[in-house]
């Protein structure tokens, strides 16, 4: 039995670890049952385990299963184990590549979604309608829905991830923030964008260009862009977004004028997007407000 161990919570460590495993893993062609054990050590607690970690772990598990292995999972921290199995219901996804969604017990979490082609649009509708109905009455969150529309569509349409793609969203009511993460183990934004626009010479520039309105890999007619410009419009009051894809990292905080890109010393085979949006960023919905006075 092989064993994969995660001993720290920091993001770079997780990204590099998952990327290394994906690169080194060879398909199981023995015809025999072979198990790979994923172990999260006690240094990682429940409060450390964010949507970022959840989608990365989910993609890794799915990838391992696609290569013909059985996955066993354990976490030393009791609260983390209860969260992963009791709330996220990861046990319903492990060794079951057909599971796309399992409703979570905690309603502030919209739980884990496996992104599949024919349901990409459905995800954003379900998520935003639930948030609007439950938490954000009277607020205009259409820009947020547009962001999700494009993010999910781009993953489904041209990431070439073969279904190894997950998203997770959590709303922290006390701090008034939406925490969102999506990950796929596909080609990566720079790879797909540079294939469509050869003039883009670097992965860093490709990530910057993916924020421009209307910029897309254009693999499907309905793709109008990567949709990330809509996310930037909502990054106020402490909001932030990060994109890791291929050999580049993009970071944006507060507004479109505060964008930084960095070159990575490794090539992440896929795309990882995670952002925090404060509900103070959403404007009042004038249409809803008008109905109040009818």
């Amino acid at each position: 039995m092989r064993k994969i161990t995660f001993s720290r919570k920091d993001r770079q460590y997780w990204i590099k670890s998952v990327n290394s495993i994906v690169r080194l893993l060879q398909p199981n062609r023995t015809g025999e049952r072979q198990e790979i054990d994923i172990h999260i050590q006690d240094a990682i607690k429940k409060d450390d385990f964010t949507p970022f970690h959840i989608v990365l772990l989910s993609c890794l598990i799915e990838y391992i299963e696609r290569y013909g292995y059985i996955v066993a999972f354990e976490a030393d921290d009791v609260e983390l184990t209860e969260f992963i199995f009791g709330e996220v219901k990861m046990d319903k996804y492990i060794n079951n590549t057909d599971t796309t969604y399992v409703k979570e017990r905690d309603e502030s979490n919209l739980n884990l979604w496996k992104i599949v082609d024919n349901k990409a649009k459905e995800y954003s509708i379900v998520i935003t309608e639930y948030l609007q109905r439950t938490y954000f009455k009277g607020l205009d969150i259409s820009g947020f829905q547009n962001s999700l529309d494009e993010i999910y569509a781009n993953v489904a349409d041209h990431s070439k991830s073969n279904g190894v793609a997950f998203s997770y969203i959590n709303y922290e009511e006390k701090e008034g923030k939406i925490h969102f993460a999506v990950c796929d183990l596909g080609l990566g934004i720079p790879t797909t964008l540079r294939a469509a626009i050869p003039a883009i010479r670097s992965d860093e520039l490709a990530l910057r260009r993916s924020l421009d309105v209307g910029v897309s890999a254009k693999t499907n007619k309905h793709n109008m862009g990567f949709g990330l410009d809509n996310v930037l419009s909502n990054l106020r009051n402490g909001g932030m977004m990060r994109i890791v894809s291929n050999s580049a990292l993009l970071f944006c905080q507060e507004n479109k004028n505060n964008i930084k890109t960095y070159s990575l010393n490794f090539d992440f085979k896929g795309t990882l997007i995670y952002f925090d949006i404060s509900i103070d960023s959403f404007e009042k919905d004038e249409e809803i407000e008008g109905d109040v006075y009818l």
Side-chain angles (χ1 to χ4, degrees):
M1 180 181 69
R2 305 182 188 182
K3 191 166 189 176
I4 297 169
T5 300
F6 291 95
S7 59
R8 307 199 309 269
K9 66 179 181 180
D10 63 276
R11 293 187 175 107
Q12 181 171 320
Y13 164 78
W14 269 75
I15 294 171
K16 293 183 76 170
S17 296
V18 169
N19 196 54
S20 177
I21 295 163
V22 167
R23 283 180 170 276
L24 295 174
L25 189 67
Q26 296 296 316
N28 176 17
R29 296 193 175 98
T30 65
E32 300 177 358
R33 175 189 173 101
Q34 291 195 29
E35 187 172 286
I36 294 180
D37 179 30
I38 298 177
H39 177 211
I40 299 181
Q41 293 185 340
D42 191 54
I44 303 173
K45 306 298 184 184
K46 189 264 183 183
D47 290 343
D48 301 324
F49 217 68
T50 65
F52 164 95
H53 299 90
I54 292 170
V55 296
L56 258 180
L57 176 63
S58 301
C59 281
L60 175 62
I61 290 173
E62 182 81 9
Y63 191 89
I64 292 171
E65 292 171 1
R66 295 292 182 92
Y67 269 51
Y69 297 93
I70 302 297
V71 174
F73 176 84
E74 62 176 336
D76 290 339
D77 182 70
V78 174
E79 289 187 353
L80 178 56
T81 299
E82 291 176 350
F83 171 69
I84 289 175
F85 290 114
E87 294 186 23
V88 181
K89 294 182 170 60
M90 186 74 75
D91 57 311
K92 305 297 183 184
Y93 298 82
I94 295 175
N95 301 316
N96 185 355
T97 57
D98 293 331
T99 300
T100 59
Y101 176 75
V102 179
K103 188 175 181 180
E104 193 168 8
R105 186 176 62 202
D106 183 353
E107 291 188 350
S108 65
N109 298 311
L110 289 167
N111 212 15
L112 195 57
W113 291 87
K114 181 189 291 186
I115 302 172
V116 294
D117 294 0
N118 62 349
K119 292 189 176 182
K121 182 73 173 180
E122 176 185 334
Y123 299 151
S124 58
I125 294 173
V126 170
I127 289 169
T128 51
E129 285 186 351
Y130 171 78
L131 291 173
Q132 183 88 66
R133 181 176 65 250
T134 309
Y135 297 108
F136 305 142
K137 292 178 182 177
L139 296 179
D140 180 5
I141 61 173
S142 58
F144 178 64
Q145 180 172 339
N146 291 338
S147 300
L148 298 187
D149 284 345
E150 287 295 321
I151 290 172
Y152 286 135
N154 277 284
V155 171
D157 290 341
H158 64 241
S159 70
K160 306 297 183 185
S161 57
N162 192 32
V164 186
F166 288 86
S167 76
Y168 186 88
I169 186 169
N170 169 248
Y171 173 57
E172 290 287 349
E173 193 167 8
K174 288 184 179 179
E175 61 181 23
K177 283 187 178 180
I178 297 172
H179 303 285
F180 174 88
V182 61
C183 180
D184 72 75
L185 297 183
L187 296 177
I189 289 176
T191 298
T192 55
L193 194 53
R194 291 172 70 183
I197 310 175
I200 297 176
R201 298 296 185 182
S202 71
D203 289 359
E204 287 184 63
L205 180 57
L207 291 189
R208 275 190 174 271
R209 289 295 307 277
S210 73
L211 303 179
D212 295 342
V213 176
V215 172
S216 171
K218 299 178 181 177
T219 53
N220 281 281
K221 291 181 179 179
H222 66 81
N223 278 164
M224 300 302 294
F226 282 89
L228 301 175
D229 56 288
N230 286 312
V231 178
L232 297 187
S233 300
N234 292 313
L235 294 183
R236 300 191 291 270
N237 302 310
M240 75 88 193
M241 179 177 71
R242 290 183 177 90
I243 307 173
V244 178
S245 192
N246 296 153
S247 61
L249 162 69
L250 181 144
F251 173 78
C252 180
Q253 187 169 21
E254 295 287 352
N255 58 64
K256 295 181 180 181
N257 298 319
N258 190 16
I259 299 173
K260 298 178 181 179
T261 59
Y262 304 90
S263 178
L264 302 175
N265 61 1
F266 61 95
D267 185 0
F268 179 68
K269 293 298 184 183
T271 299
L272 175 61
I273 301 171
Y274 51 109
F275 56 79
D276 301 331
I277 292 179
S278 170
I279 63 168
D280 294 337
S281 301
F282 300 135
E283 304 290 342
K284 291 183 178 179
D285 191 320
E286 294 180 0
E287 184 175 330
I288 294 176
E289 278 198 321
D291 290 342
V292 173
Y293 296 100
L294 290 178

